[in-house]
Amino acid sequence: MPVYGNLIGGKWVKPASGRTFESLDPATGRPIGTFQSSTEKDIKKAVSAARKAFPGWKAVPAPERGQMLFRIAELLRKDKEGLASLETREMGKAINEARGDVQEAIDIAEYMAAEGRRLLGHTTPSELPDRFCATIKQPVGVFGLITPWNFPIAIPAWKLMPALIAGNTIVFKPSSDSPLCAIEFVKILEKAGIPPGVVNLVTGSGRDAGGPLVKHKDVGGISFTGSMETGIWITQNAGLKKVGLELGGKNPIIVMDDADLDLAVDGVLWGGYATTGQRCTAASRVIVHEKVLKAFERKLLARIGKLKVGNGMDPKTDVGPLVNKAAVDKTESYVKLGKDEGARLCCGGKRIARKGFFFQPTLFTNCSMDMKICQEEIFGPIVSLIPVKGFSQAIDAANSVDYGLSSAIYTSSMKRAFRAIELMDAGITYVNSSTIGAEVHLPFGGTKATGNGTREAGIEGLNEFTETKAVYIDYSGRLQKAQKIK
Ligand code: UN1
Protein backbone atom coordinates (compact mmCIF):
# COMPACT_ATOMS: atom_id res chain seq x y z
CA MET A 1 0.00 0.00 0.00
CA PRO A 2 1.62 3.32 -1.01
CA VAL A 3 2.23 5.79 1.83
CA TYR A 4 1.89 9.49 1.03
CA GLY A 5 3.33 12.49 2.91
CA ASN A 6 2.52 16.15 3.41
CA LEU A 7 4.03 18.82 1.16
CA ILE A 8 5.68 21.50 3.28
CA GLY A 9 8.14 24.08 1.95
CA GLY A 10 8.65 22.07 -1.24
CA LYS A 11 9.41 18.75 0.53
CA TRP A 12 7.21 15.69 0.95
CA VAL A 13 7.42 14.90 4.66
CA LYS A 14 5.98 12.69 7.40
CA PRO A 15 3.92 14.36 10.12
CA ALA A 16 4.72 14.77 13.78
CA SER A 17 2.05 12.37 15.02
CA GLY A 18 3.38 9.29 13.20
CA ARG A 19 -0.28 8.25 12.75
CA THR A 20 -1.88 7.53 9.40
CA PHE A 21 -5.28 6.85 7.83
CA GLU A 22 -6.51 5.11 4.69
CA SER A 23 -8.61 6.35 1.79
CA LEU A 24 -11.02 3.70 0.42
CA ASP A 25 -12.40 2.99 -3.04
CA PRO A 26 -16.14 3.34 -2.35
CA ALA A 27 -17.02 0.88 -5.12
CA THR A 28 -15.06 -1.94 -3.50
CA GLY A 29 -14.36 -0.81 0.06
CA ARG A 30 -10.66 -1.50 -0.56
CA PRO A 31 -7.99 1.01 0.54
CA ILE A 32 -6.11 2.89 -2.19
CA GLY A 33 -3.42 4.54 -0.10
CA THR A 34 -2.15 5.50 3.35
CA PHE A 35 -2.03 9.17 4.37
CA GLN A 36 -0.72 11.28 7.19
CA SER A 37 -2.94 12.13 10.19
CA SER A 38 -1.51 15.57 10.72
CA THR A 39 -1.95 17.79 13.75
CA GLU A 40 -1.32 21.35 14.88
CA LYS A 41 2.47 20.87 14.74
CA ASP A 42 2.33 20.09 11.00
CA ILE A 43 -0.07 22.97 10.36
CA LYS A 44 2.35 25.32 12.14
CA LYS A 45 5.21 24.16 9.92
CA ALA A 46 3.11 24.54 6.78
CA VAL A 47 1.92 28.02 7.74
CA SER A 48 5.47 29.10 8.49
CA ALA A 49 6.64 27.77 5.09
CA ALA A 50 3.80 29.65 3.39
CA ARG A 51 4.66 32.81 5.28
CA LYS A 52 8.29 32.55 4.25
CA ALA A 53 7.32 32.08 0.60
CA PHE A 54 4.83 34.95 0.56
CA PRO A 55 7.02 38.02 -0.17
CA GLY A 56 8.75 36.25 -3.07
CA TRP A 57 5.49 35.04 -4.61
CA LYS A 58 3.82 38.41 -4.20
CA ALA A 59 6.77 40.00 -6.01
CA VAL A 60 6.42 37.75 -9.08
CA PRO A 61 4.62 39.83 -11.75
CA ALA A 62 1.03 38.63 -12.04
CA PRO A 63 1.31 37.84 -15.79
CA GLU A 64 4.22 35.54 -14.92
CA ARG A 65 2.11 33.83 -12.26
CA GLY A 66 -0.49 33.53 -15.03
CA GLN A 67 2.00 31.68 -17.25
CA MET A 68 2.36 29.06 -14.52
CA LEU A 69 -1.42 28.71 -14.32
CA PHE A 70 -1.57 28.18 -18.09
CA ARG A 71 1.03 25.43 -17.63
CA ILE A 72 -1.13 23.88 -14.90
CA ALA A 73 -4.06 23.83 -17.34
CA GLU A 74 -1.88 22.20 -19.98
CA LEU A 75 -0.65 19.49 -17.61
CA LEU A 76 -4.17 18.82 -16.35
CA ARG A 77 -5.35 18.45 -19.92
CA LYS A 78 -2.56 16.00 -20.66
CA ASP A 79 -3.38 13.92 -17.60
CA LYS A 80 -7.17 14.34 -17.77
CA GLU A 81 -7.91 10.64 -18.20
CA GLY A 82 -5.55 9.52 -15.43
CA LEU A 83 -6.88 12.08 -12.97
CA ALA A 84 -10.49 11.27 -13.84
CA SER A 85 -9.93 7.56 -13.17
CA LEU A 86 -8.22 8.40 -9.92
CA GLU A 87 -11.24 10.47 -8.87
CA THR A 88 -13.61 7.64 -9.67
CA ARG A 89 -11.47 5.21 -7.74
CA GLU A 90 -11.18 7.48 -4.74
CA MET A 91 -14.67 8.97 -4.38
CA GLY A 92 -16.83 6.91 -6.73
CA LYS A 93 -18.40 9.30 -9.24
CA ALA A 94 -19.14 7.98 -12.74
CA ILE A 95 -16.07 8.29 -14.97
CA ASN A 96 -17.76 10.65 -17.40
CA GLU A 97 -18.56 13.06 -14.57
CA ALA A 98 -15.01 12.71 -13.24
CA ARG A 99 -13.76 13.92 -16.62
CA GLY A 100 -16.06 16.91 -16.22
CA ASP A 101 -14.56 17.58 -12.80
CA VAL A 102 -11.02 17.69 -14.23
CA GLN A 103 -12.30 19.83 -17.11
CA GLU A 104 -13.71 22.31 -14.58
CA ALA A 105 -10.23 22.58 -13.05
CA ILE A 106 -8.71 23.19 -16.51
CA ASP A 107 -11.32 25.86 -17.17
CA ILE A 108 -10.72 27.76 -13.95
CA ALA A 109 -6.92 27.48 -14.37
CA GLU A 110 -7.19 29.11 -17.81
CA TYR A 111 -9.70 31.71 -16.65
CA MET A 112 -7.57 32.79 -13.68
CA ALA A 113 -4.32 32.54 -15.70
CA ALA A 114 -5.71 35.24 -17.99
CA GLU A 115 -6.51 37.33 -14.92
CA GLY A 116 -2.74 37.67 -14.52
CA ARG A 117 -2.97 40.32 -17.24
CA ARG A 118 -5.99 42.04 -15.69
CA LEU A 119 -6.52 41.92 -11.90
CA LEU A 120 -8.36 45.12 -12.58
CA GLY A 121 -8.73 47.95 -10.18
CA HIS A 122 -10.38 51.21 -11.20
CA THR A 123 -9.54 54.89 -11.42
CA THR A 124 -11.92 57.57 -10.30
CA PRO A 125 -11.82 61.38 -10.03
CA SER A 126 -10.82 63.13 -6.83
CA GLU A 127 -12.89 65.81 -5.13
CA LEU A 128 -9.63 67.81 -5.02
CA PRO A 129 -7.57 69.19 -7.91
CA ASP A 130 -4.24 67.59 -8.81
CA ARG A 131 -5.04 64.33 -7.11
CA PHE A 132 -5.18 60.91 -8.80
CA CYS A 133 -7.35 58.16 -7.26
CA ALA A 134 -7.30 54.45 -8.03
CA THR A 135 -7.78 51.02 -6.53
CA ILE A 136 -5.43 48.04 -6.76
CA LYS A 137 -5.92 44.40 -5.80
CA GLN A 138 -3.43 42.89 -3.40
CA PRO A 139 -2.98 39.40 -1.98
CA VAL A 140 -4.18 38.71 1.56
CA GLY A 141 -1.14 36.66 2.63
CA VAL A 142 -1.34 33.04 3.75
CA PHE A 143 -4.66 31.46 2.80
CA GLY A 144 -6.03 28.24 4.31
CA LEU A 145 -8.10 26.12 1.91
CA ILE A 146 -10.34 23.38 3.30
CA THR A 147 -12.05 21.36 0.59
CA PRO A 148 -14.58 18.54 0.23
CA TRP A 149 -14.35 15.20 -1.58
CA ASN A 150 -17.30 15.54 -3.97
CA PHE A 151 -15.38 17.64 -6.51
CA PRO A 152 -11.90 16.54 -5.40
CA ILE A 153 -10.04 18.42 -8.14
CA ALA A 154 -12.45 21.10 -9.35
CA ILE A 155 -13.19 22.66 -5.95
CA PRO A 156 -9.53 22.85 -4.86
CA ALA A 157 -8.87 24.43 -8.28
CA TRP A 158 -11.66 27.01 -7.77
CA LYS A 159 -9.81 28.10 -4.66
CA LEU A 160 -6.17 27.56 -5.60
CA MET A 161 -6.25 29.34 -8.98
CA PRO A 162 -7.64 32.70 -7.83
CA ALA A 163 -5.61 32.54 -4.61
CA LEU A 164 -2.41 31.97 -6.60
CA ILE A 165 -3.00 34.51 -9.35
CA ALA A 166 -3.63 37.13 -6.68
CA GLY A 167 -0.26 36.34 -5.05
CA ASN A 168 -1.29 34.49 -1.89
CA THR A 169 0.56 31.49 -0.51
CA ILE A 170 -1.40 28.50 0.63
CA VAL A 171 -1.95 25.77 3.16
CA PHE A 172 -4.35 23.27 1.62
CA LYS A 173 -6.18 20.72 3.80
CA PRO A 174 -8.21 18.37 1.59
CA SER A 175 -10.99 16.04 2.71
CA SER A 176 -9.84 12.75 4.19
CA ASP A 177 -12.10 10.99 1.66
CA SER A 178 -10.06 12.32 -1.29
CA PRO A 179 -6.44 12.98 -0.20
CA LEU A 180 -4.88 11.19 -3.18
CA CYS A 181 -6.66 13.40 -5.73
CA ALA A 182 -5.35 16.42 -3.80
CA ILE A 183 -1.81 15.05 -3.76
CA GLU A 184 -1.77 14.28 -7.49
CA PHE A 185 -3.19 17.74 -8.20
CA VAL A 186 -0.54 19.44 -6.09
CA LYS A 187 2.17 17.44 -7.88
CA ILE A 188 0.95 19.03 -11.10
CA LEU A 189 1.30 22.49 -9.53
CA GLU A 190 4.89 21.62 -8.58
CA LYS A 191 5.59 20.41 -12.12
CA ALA A 192 4.17 23.63 -13.55
CA GLY A 193 6.77 25.62 -11.62
CA ILE A 194 4.90 26.89 -8.57
CA PRO A 195 7.85 27.58 -6.24
CA PRO A 196 8.46 25.64 -2.99
CA GLY A 197 6.42 26.88 -0.03
CA VAL A 198 3.81 28.64 -2.19
CA VAL A 199 1.40 25.70 -1.98
CA ASN A 200 1.67 23.44 1.05
CA LEU A 201 -0.54 20.42 1.53
CA VAL A 202 -1.42 18.88 4.88
CA THR A 203 -3.72 15.85 5.15
CA GLY A 204 -5.67 14.90 8.24
CA SER A 205 -8.99 15.30 9.98
CA GLY A 206 -11.00 18.48 10.22
CA ARG A 207 -10.61 18.48 13.96
CA ASP A 208 -6.86 17.86 14.22
CA ALA A 209 -5.61 19.64 11.07
CA GLY A 210 -8.45 21.88 9.82
CA GLY A 211 -9.17 23.41 13.25
CA PRO A 212 -5.60 24.59 13.94
CA LEU A 213 -5.44 26.05 10.42
CA VAL A 214 -8.63 28.05 11.02
CA LYS A 215 -7.29 29.35 14.34
CA HIS A 216 -3.68 30.09 13.29
CA LYS A 217 -2.89 33.77 13.80
CA ASP A 218 -0.62 34.01 10.74
CA VAL A 219 -3.31 32.82 8.36
CA GLY A 220 -5.04 35.76 6.70
CA GLY A 221 -8.01 33.97 5.17
CA ILE A 222 -9.91 30.69 5.09
CA SER A 223 -11.86 29.36 2.14
CA PHE A 224 -14.11 26.44 3.01
CA THR A 225 -16.62 24.27 1.16
CA GLY A 226 -18.53 21.78 3.27
CA SER A 227 -21.26 21.46 5.87
CA MET A 228 -23.18 24.32 7.43
CA GLU A 229 -22.21 23.16 10.94
CA THR A 230 -18.49 23.32 10.14
CA GLY A 231 -18.99 26.65 8.36
CA ILE A 232 -20.55 28.14 11.47
CA TRP A 233 -17.72 26.74 13.59
CA ILE A 234 -15.22 28.40 11.27
CA THR A 235 -16.87 31.82 11.55
CA GLN A 236 -16.77 31.44 15.33
CA ASN A 237 -13.13 30.42 15.47
CA ALA A 238 -11.38 32.26 12.63
CA GLY A 239 -11.20 35.56 14.50
CA LEU A 240 -10.82 38.46 12.09
CA LYS A 241 -9.64 36.47 9.09
CA LYS A 242 -11.32 36.84 5.72
CA VAL A 243 -13.63 33.84 5.50
CA GLY A 244 -15.28 32.47 2.35
CA LEU A 245 -17.93 29.76 2.81
CA GLU A 246 -19.92 27.51 0.51
CA LEU A 247 -22.15 25.39 2.71
CA GLY A 248 -24.49 23.42 0.54
CA GLY A 249 -28.06 23.57 -0.59
CA LYS A 250 -31.52 22.08 -0.73
CA ASN A 251 -32.02 23.00 -4.33
CA PRO A 252 -35.49 23.12 -5.88
CA ILE A 253 -36.67 22.46 -9.41
CA ILE A 254 -40.11 23.93 -10.10
CA VAL A 255 -42.08 22.08 -12.79
CA MET A 256 -44.99 24.21 -13.95
CA ASP A 257 -48.09 22.87 -15.73
CA ASP A 258 -46.87 24.49 -18.97
CA ALA A 259 -43.44 22.79 -18.82
CA ASP A 260 -42.01 20.38 -21.36
CA LEU A 261 -42.32 17.38 -19.02
CA ASP A 262 -39.77 15.20 -20.80
CA LEU A 263 -37.20 17.98 -20.61
CA ALA A 264 -38.01 18.43 -16.91
CA VAL A 265 -37.59 14.68 -16.31
CA ASP A 266 -34.13 14.87 -17.92
CA GLY A 267 -33.28 17.76 -15.61
CA VAL A 268 -34.49 16.02 -12.46
CA LEU A 269 -32.65 12.80 -13.28
CA TRP A 270 -29.41 14.66 -13.94
CA GLY A 271 -29.76 17.06 -11.00
CA GLY A 272 -31.06 14.51 -8.51
CA TYR A 273 -29.00 11.41 -9.20
CA ALA A 274 -25.79 12.54 -10.92
CA THR A 275 -22.83 12.23 -8.55
CA THR A 276 -25.28 10.02 -6.59
CA GLY A 277 -26.93 13.19 -5.28
CA GLN A 278 -23.66 14.26 -3.69
CA ARG A 279 -23.47 17.79 -5.10
CA CYS A 280 -24.11 20.99 -3.19
CA THR A 281 -26.19 21.87 -6.23
CA ALA A 282 -28.15 18.57 -6.33
CA ALA A 283 -31.86 18.87 -7.13
CA SER A 284 -33.30 17.22 -4.05
CA ARG A 285 -36.72 18.92 -4.13
CA VAL A 286 -38.99 18.92 -7.15
CA ILE A 287 -41.94 21.24 -6.77
CA VAL A 288 -44.57 20.10 -9.26
CA HIS A 289 -47.82 21.72 -10.33
CA GLU A 290 -50.56 19.36 -9.17
CA LYS A 291 -52.13 19.31 -12.63
CA VAL A 292 -49.10 17.51 -14.06
CA LEU A 293 -47.99 15.62 -10.95
CA LYS A 294 -49.29 12.18 -11.98
CA ALA A 295 -47.96 12.38 -15.52
CA PHE A 296 -44.60 13.70 -14.31
CA GLU A 297 -44.29 11.05 -11.62
CA ARG A 298 -45.01 8.28 -14.15
CA LYS A 299 -42.43 9.53 -16.64
CA LEU A 300 -39.82 10.07 -13.95
CA LEU A 301 -40.31 6.64 -12.40
CA ALA A 302 -39.90 4.94 -15.75
CA ARG A 303 -36.58 6.72 -16.27
CA ILE A 304 -35.30 6.09 -12.72
CA GLY A 305 -35.94 2.40 -13.34
CA LYS A 306 -33.46 2.53 -16.22
CA LEU A 307 -30.61 4.15 -14.27
CA LYS A 308 -27.65 1.84 -14.01
CA VAL A 309 -26.09 1.75 -10.56
CA GLY A 310 -22.56 0.39 -10.42
CA ASN A 311 -18.83 0.96 -10.27
CA GLY A 312 -18.13 4.43 -11.71
CA MET A 313 -15.29 2.98 -13.79
CA ASP A 314 -17.86 1.16 -15.94
CA PRO A 315 -18.72 3.64 -18.71
CA LYS A 316 -22.34 2.42 -18.64
CA THR A 317 -22.81 3.43 -14.99
CA ASP A 318 -25.17 6.35 -14.34
CA VAL A 319 -25.06 6.28 -10.54
CA GLY A 320 -21.89 5.33 -8.68
CA PRO A 321 -21.55 4.45 -5.00
CA LEU A 322 -21.89 6.88 -2.11
CA VAL A 323 -18.58 8.06 -0.74
CA ASN A 324 -18.44 5.95 2.45
CA LYS A 325 -20.42 3.85 4.90
CA ALA A 326 -21.50 6.87 6.95
CA ALA A 327 -23.12 8.33 3.82
CA VAL A 328 -25.05 5.08 3.26
CA ASP A 329 -26.25 5.10 6.89
CA LYS A 330 -27.27 8.75 6.62
CA THR A 331 -29.18 8.20 3.37
CA GLU A 332 -30.93 5.19 4.87
CA SER A 333 -31.92 7.18 7.94
CA TYR A 334 -33.55 9.82 5.70
CA VAL A 335 -35.57 7.12 3.93
CA LYS A 336 -36.92 5.98 7.29
CA LEU A 337 -37.59 9.58 8.29
CA GLY A 338 -39.43 10.27 5.02
CA LYS A 339 -41.69 7.26 5.56
CA ASP A 340 -42.33 8.25 9.21
CA GLU A 341 -43.18 11.80 8.08
CA GLY A 342 -45.85 10.40 5.75
CA ALA A 343 -44.15 10.79 2.34
CA ARG A 344 -44.93 8.00 -0.15
CA LEU A 345 -41.91 6.00 -1.31
CA CYS A 346 -42.24 5.48 -5.09
CA CYS A 347 -39.01 3.58 -5.67
CA GLY A 348 -35.63 2.71 -4.17
CA GLY A 349 -35.05 3.31 -0.49
CA LYS A 350 -32.55 0.54 0.16
CA ARG A 351 -28.82 0.03 0.34
CA ILE A 352 -27.62 -2.46 -2.26
CA ALA A 353 -26.23 -5.72 -0.91
CA ARG A 354 -22.84 -5.86 -2.57
CA LYS A 355 -19.29 -4.76 -1.79
CA GLY A 356 -18.88 -0.99 -1.57
CA PHE A 357 -21.30 1.74 -0.58
CA PHE A 358 -24.20 1.55 -3.02
CA PHE A 359 -27.73 2.88 -2.56
CA GLN A 360 -30.79 2.69 -4.81
CA PRO A 361 -31.94 5.87 -6.55
CA THR A 362 -34.91 6.86 -4.42
CA LEU A 363 -38.05 8.88 -5.09
CA PHE A 364 -40.61 10.14 -2.59
CA THR A 365 -43.87 11.78 -3.56
CA ASN A 366 -46.76 13.55 -1.80
CA CYS A 367 -44.18 15.46 0.22
CA SER A 368 -44.77 18.74 1.99
CA MET A 369 -42.34 21.49 2.90
CA ASP A 370 -42.63 20.85 6.65
CA MET A 371 -40.98 17.43 6.25
CA LYS A 372 -37.33 17.14 7.25
CA ILE A 373 -36.56 15.30 3.98
CA CYS A 374 -37.60 18.56 2.24
CA GLN A 375 -35.58 20.79 4.55
CA GLU A 376 -32.26 19.10 5.29
CA GLU A 377 -29.38 18.45 2.91
CA ILE A 378 -29.22 14.65 2.47
CA PHE A 379 -26.27 14.38 0.02
CA GLY A 380 -27.57 11.09 -1.33
CA PRO A 381 -29.74 9.82 -4.20
CA ILE A 382 -33.10 10.90 -2.77
CA VAL A 383 -35.51 13.20 -4.62
CA SER A 384 -38.78 14.43 -3.11
CA LEU A 385 -41.78 15.53 -5.17
CA ILE A 386 -43.82 18.32 -3.61
CA PRO A 387 -47.20 19.09 -5.22
CA VAL A 388 -48.34 22.73 -5.38
CA LYS A 389 -51.43 24.51 -6.70
CA GLY A 390 -49.75 27.25 -8.71
CA PHE A 391 -46.82 29.58 -9.34
CA SER A 392 -46.82 31.62 -6.15
CA GLN A 393 -47.14 28.52 -3.97
CA ALA A 394 -44.24 27.02 -5.93
CA ILE A 395 -42.04 30.04 -5.25
CA ASP A 396 -42.97 30.00 -1.54
CA ALA A 397 -42.09 26.31 -1.34
CA ALA A 398 -38.81 26.88 -3.20
CA ASN A 399 -37.81 29.62 -0.78
CA SER A 400 -38.89 27.99 2.48
CA VAL A 401 -35.58 26.34 3.36
CA ASP A 402 -32.49 27.61 5.18
CA TYR A 403 -30.25 27.26 2.11
CA GLY A 404 -30.11 29.32 -1.08
CA LEU A 405 -27.56 27.87 -3.51
CA SER A 406 -29.08 26.72 -6.81
CA SER A 407 -32.64 26.73 -8.18
CA ALA A 408 -34.45 25.96 -11.41
CA ILE A 409 -37.80 26.35 -13.13
CA TYR A 410 -39.26 24.48 -16.09
CA THR A 411 -41.91 26.54 -17.84
CA SER A 412 -42.76 27.70 -21.34
CA SER A 413 -43.96 31.05 -20.06
CA MET A 414 -41.47 33.91 -20.44
CA LYS A 415 -43.28 35.82 -17.74
CA ARG A 416 -43.00 33.02 -15.17
CA ALA A 417 -39.37 32.44 -16.06
CA PHE A 418 -38.44 36.07 -15.42
CA ARG A 419 -40.59 36.23 -12.27
CA ALA A 420 -38.80 33.14 -10.97
CA ILE A 421 -35.39 34.68 -11.68
CA GLU A 422 -36.48 37.64 -9.60
CA LEU A 423 -38.19 35.75 -6.78
CA MET A 424 -36.15 32.62 -6.13
CA ASP A 425 -33.91 33.30 -3.15
CA ALA A 426 -30.71 31.61 -4.37
CA GLY A 427 -27.29 32.45 -5.79
CA ILE A 428 -28.05 30.59 -9.03
CA THR A 429 -31.28 30.24 -11.05
CA TYR A 430 -31.62 28.08 -14.16
CA VAL A 431 -34.51 28.27 -16.60
CA ASN A 432 -35.42 25.04 -18.41
CA SER A 433 -32.21 23.44 -17.20
CA SER A 434 -31.24 21.47 -14.10
CA THR A 435 -29.76 22.85 -10.85
CA ILE A 436 -26.28 21.52 -11.61
CA GLY A 437 -23.66 22.41 -14.18
CA ALA A 438 -22.38 25.84 -13.16
CA GLU A 439 -19.67 27.28 -15.45
CA VAL A 440 -16.44 28.69 -14.05
CA HIS A 441 -16.67 32.21 -15.44
CA LEU A 442 -19.89 32.91 -13.54
CA PRO A 443 -19.98 33.44 -9.79
CA PHE A 444 -20.82 30.38 -7.69
CA GLY A 445 -22.30 30.63 -4.21
CA GLY A 446 -25.53 31.24 -2.44
CA THR A 447 -27.78 33.25 -0.18
CA LYS A 448 -28.96 32.56 3.38
CA ALA A 449 -27.32 29.58 5.13
CA THR A 450 -25.40 28.58 2.00
CA GLY A 451 -22.65 30.95 3.00
CA ASN A 452 -21.55 34.34 4.20
CA GLY A 453 -22.04 36.25 0.95
CA THR A 454 -18.80 35.39 -0.81
CA ARG A 455 -18.73 33.93 -4.32
CA GLU A 456 -16.27 31.55 -5.92
CA ALA A 457 -15.21 31.44 -9.57
CA GLY A 458 -15.99 34.17 -12.09
CA ILE A 459 -14.58 37.63 -11.63
CA GLU A 460 -16.26 37.83 -8.22
CA GLY A 461 -14.17 34.83 -7.14
CA LEU A 462 -11.12 37.05 -6.92
CA ASN A 463 -12.64 39.16 -4.17
CA GLU A 464 -12.42 36.31 -1.70
CA PHE A 465 -8.64 36.15 -2.13
CA THR A 466 -7.73 39.82 -2.45
CA GLU A 467 -7.68 43.01 -0.46
CA THR A 468 -8.67 46.12 -2.36
CA LYS A 469 -6.39 49.05 -1.65
CA ALA A 470 -7.44 52.65 -2.31
CA VAL A 471 -4.57 54.78 -3.64
CA TYR A 472 -4.35 58.62 -3.58
CA ILE A 473 -1.54 60.37 -5.42
CA ASP A 474 -1.34 64.10 -4.80
CA TYR A 475 0.68 66.11 -7.33
CA SER A 476 -0.37 69.61 -6.20
CA GLY A 477 2.75 70.12 -4.10
CA ARG A 478 0.74 71.37 -1.12
CA LEU A 479 -1.30 69.88 1.73
CA GLN A 480 -4.84 69.40 0.41
CA LYS A 481 -7.69 68.54 2.76
CA ALA A 482 -10.73 66.51 1.68
CA GLN A 483 -14.27 67.08 2.95
CA LYS A 484 -14.05 70.84 2.31
CA ILE A 485 -11.90 71.42 5.41
CA LYS A 486 -10.29 74.85 5.13
C1 UN1 B 1 -20.52 21.38 -5.53
O1 UN1 B 1 -21.28 20.42 -5.52
O2 UN1 B 1 -20.07 21.82 -4.47
O3 UN1 B 1 -22.69 23.24 -10.74
C2 UN1 B 1 -20.01 22.02 -6.76
C3 UN1 B 1 -22.25 22.13 -10.47
C4 UN1 B 1 -20.76 21.90 -10.51
C5 UN1 B 1 -20.13 22.29 -9.22
C6 UN1 B 1 -20.77 21.69 -8.00
N1 UN1 B 1 -20.19 22.64 -11.60
O4 UN1 B 1 -22.97 21.20 -10.13
Side-chain angles (χ1 to χ4, degrees):
M1 176 79 51
V3 181
Y4 298 88
N6 289 329
L7 179 65
I8 298 180
K11 293 200 175 71
W12 290 93
V13 291
K14 293 240 165 77
S17 78
R19 285 183 294 114
T20 56
F21 66 96
E22 287 177 336
S23 173
L24 307 182
D25 177 344
T28 62
R30 279 201 295 270
I32 66 167
T34 300
F35 303 87
Q36 311 302 328
S37 299
S38 311
T39 57
E40 188 171 3
K41 275 194 182 151
D42 311 296
I43 289 290
K44 279 187 172 158
K45 281 189 197 149
V47 172
S48 116
R51 231 172 102 88
K52 220 171 112 206
F54 177 61
W57 184 239
K58 184 184 170 188
V60 174
E64 217 174 287
R65 293 198 292 261
Q67 291 303 315
M68 291 184 213
L69 266 59
F70 276 123
R71 270 206 292 283
I72 293 169
E74 225 175 275
L75 292 169
L76 285 170
R77 192 173 281 116
K78 233 162 92 193
D79 203 16
K80 184 169 169 179
E81 207 47 43
L83 287 166
S85 327
L86 171 61
E87 278 197 27
T88 298
R89 271 208 305 137
E90 192 169 36
M91 57 65 68
K93 70 169 74 174
I95 185 70
N96 212 19
E97 291 184 42
R99 290 185 190 115
D101 189 310
V102 181
Q103 186 58 47
E104 208 162 333
I106 297 170
D107 296 343
I108 193 80
E110 286 179 343
Y111 182 85
M112 289 299 167
E115 270 308 305
R117 291 194 182 270
R118 278 188 292 264
L119 283 176
L120 298 178
H122 62 267
T123 61
T124 186
S126 169
E127 61 188 60
L128 297 166
D130 299 335
R131 185 143 97 148
F132 177 87
C133 303
T135 64
I136 58 168
K137 285 210 164 76
Q138 296 208 295
V140 176
V142 177
F143 233 95
L145 312 182
I146 305 176
T147 61
W149 48 265
N150 68 332
F151 277 78
I153 295 191
I155 292 180
W158 285 5
K159 298 181 192 303
L160 277 158
M161 299 306 131
L164 286 173
I165 199 68
N168 299 283
T169 54
I170 285 141
V171 177
F172 169 25
K173 204 298 280 176
S175 161
S176 296
D177 281 306
S178 59
L180 190 50
C181 286
I183 285 171
E184 293 305 327
F185 184 33
V186 163
K187 282 187 185 161
I188 285 180
L189 307 191
E190 282 189 293
K191 233 176 163 177
I194 301 292
V198 171
V199 175
N200 304 277
L201 175 136
V202 179
T203 57
S205 71
R207 200 193 48 209
D208 295 337
L213 180 59
V214 168
K215 290 182 178 170
H216 199 301
K217 65 173 184 12
D218 291 340
V219 173
I222 295 288
S223 181
F224 170 75
T225 299
S227 75
M228 180 167 53
E229 292 71 29
T230 306
I232 292 169
W233 186 89
I234 289 174
T235 58
Q236 289 165 348
N237 287 274
L240 298 175
K241 294 176 181 66
K242 255 175 108 83
V243 173
L245 301 173
E246 201 278 274
L247 309 177
K250 189 70 187 171
N251 313 290
I253 291 183
I254 294 177
V255 181
M256 289 308 298
D257 51 343
D258 59 6
D260 175 338
L261 290 191
D262 294 310
L263 188 67
V265 165
D266 281 342
V268 170
L269 273 184
W270 179 229
Y273 302 111
T275 329
T276 323
Q278 303 169 108
R279 292 196 190 207
C280 304
T281 49
S284 52
R285 295 184 294 144
V286 183
I287 299 163
V288 191
H289 196 294
E290 60 183 13
K291 272 196 206 153
V292 293
L293 179 69
K294 280 286 152 239
F296 184 76
E297 206 178 289
R298 215 175 34 245
K299 282 173 186 280
L300 183 59
L301 260 174
R303 293 284 301 282
I304 294 173
K306 290 196 185 122
L307 289 176
K308 192 172 174 311
V309 182
N311 189 323
M313 291 306 286
D314 178 347
K316 292 203 193 75
T317 291
D318 299 301
V319 181
L322 286 164
V323 67
N324 55 31
K325 182 173 176 300
V328 176
D329 294 344
K330 184 176 169 196
T331 306
E332 194 174 58
S333 76
Y334 273 103
V335 171
K336 182 175 179 308
L337 190 63
K339 287 185 191 158
D340 291 349
E341 287 179 316
R344 185 163 69 76
L345 183 66
C346 300
C347 70
K350 290 203 173 73
R351 63 177 75 207
I352 298 173
R354 60 183 271 186
K355 274 218 175 78
F357 311 119
F358 292 91
F359 204 92
Q360 296 172 336
T362 300
L363 182 70
F364 276 114
T365 190
N366 295 352
C367 302
S368 57
M369 279 313 304
D370 55 357
M371 295 176 179
K372 284 206 172 99
I373 55 163
C374 296
Q375 289 287 338
E376 295 173 10
E377 188 178 48
I378 299 172
F379 235 60
I382 300 183
V383 173
S384 301
L385 301 186
I386 304 154
V388 287
K389 290 189 191 317
F391 180 75
S392 59
Q393 213 183 65
I395 295 286
D396 286 349
N399 289 343
S400 64
V401 290
D402 289 338
Y403 295 103
L405 181 53
S406 188
S407 58
I409 182 166
Y410 283 82
T411 178
S412 54
S413 149
M414 187 81 112
K415 187 171 151 190
R416 281 176 175 160
F418 273 92
R419 285 262 159 81
I421 293 169
E422 215 173 286
L423 296 173
M424 279 179 146
D425 193 351
I428 306 170
T429 296
Y430 292 90
V431 175
N432 292 332
S433 181
S434 192
T435 54
I436 68 177
E439 302 175 31
V440 302
H441 53 294
L442 278 88
F444 185 91
T447 61
K448 300 191 279 183
T450 289
N452 56 348
T454 53
R455 291 291 182 271
E456 300 197 273
I459 207 67
E460 289 83 354
L462 279 172
N463 295 336
E464 190 180 342
F465 300 101
T466 52
E467 296 283 8
T468 301
K469 175 180 282 192
V471 180
Y472 300 88
I473 302 164
D474 195 306
Y475 52 97
S476 68
R478 59 185 188 278
L479 174 67
Q480 300 203 82
K481 297 172 185 161
Q483 287 84 43
K484 296 187 172 23
I485 298 171
K486 289 269 161 15

